[in-house]
Structures are given as structure tokens and as C-alpha cells.
Amino acid sequence: AHFAVFDQYTTIVPHEGAFGGLWRVPGTPAFQVTWTGIAELAGGLGLIAGGPVHAVPHVVGRISGFALFVLTIAITPANIYAATNNAPGPGPPPEDGELPPLVEPSGHVGRAVAQCVLL
């Protein structure tokens, strides 16, 4: 999803100085979306290869699982930012060049619940 709707994912990356000036992360939103997308793909492949497929040693699946856990913690600020700033994030394409629709509060709640489950 990161690469299919790339520009939309960049809208949920917190701006420099967000969270009361605490947000200081190097790189552009495009960089952040790229590396997290690659990390998710690599982690997912590691889980599959080290788990049911048995293409690599089992430890690879465990390491991938732990790495995805750390990644989930790393991307949590973007999800909090999206919820507290009503950043549109990924969604349906805008009609006639209008801004994408804002996410309803129930959408933020669902995402927060999913994030907690992942953590």
C-alpha cells in the first residue's frame, strides 16, 4: 500500500516540530514512507520464509517478527498524528481535483485499535 498510494501516505508523516516541537526526524516524508514500506515488505517476506515456507532458518522468522514489532512502534507517531490532525492519509482518489475526504472519527478509532493489537 505504501507504494500504490505513495503521495497519500506522505500526508500522515508528522511535520518537523510536531508534537510540541519534539518531532525531529531526518529525511523527507517521501523518505519515511519509502523506508517503512521496504521494511514492511522485508519483514513480511521474512515471516513467510522463516515460518510456513521454511526457506530460511526459523530464526529469520523470529527476527522478522521482532523487527516488525519495532517498526510498528516507529510508525505509531504517524498514526497518532493522522488521528489528532485529521490527516487524510490513504483513501479513495479525490473527485475533480478536490481534497480527499477527511477520515471519520470511527476510522481513527479502528486504526488505533489495530495499532494496539499490533503492539
Side-chain angles (χ1 to χ4, degrees):
H2 279 84
F3 304 110
V5 287
F6 185 83
D7 291 337
Q8 293 177 17
Y9 266 97
T10 62
T11 66
I12 68 169
V13 174
H15 65 277
E16 183 77 20
F19 303 115
L22 297 175
W23 188 256
R24 302 270 186 251
V25 177
T28 64
F31 170 76
Q32 302 301 333
V33 172
T34 301
W35 84 259
T36 56
I38 291 170
E40 285 181 3
L41 286 172
L45 290 173
L47 284 177
I48 293 168
V53 175
H54 301 294
V56 295
H58 183 67
V59 70
V60 172
R62 289 180 179 249
I63 292 170
S64 295
F66 180 74
L68 287 170
F69 171 75
V70 172
L71 178 64
T72 300
I73 292 170
I75 64 171
T76 295
N79 293 322
I80 292 170
Y81 181 81
T84 59
N85 291 280
N86 208 12
E95 297 178 17
D96 301 328
E98 295 178 11
L99 290 174
L102 295 177
V103 178
E104 296 294 324
S106 60
H108 292 303
V109 170
R111 187 177 189 122
V113 168
Q115 196 77 14
C116 290
V117 169
L118 290 172
L119 287 173

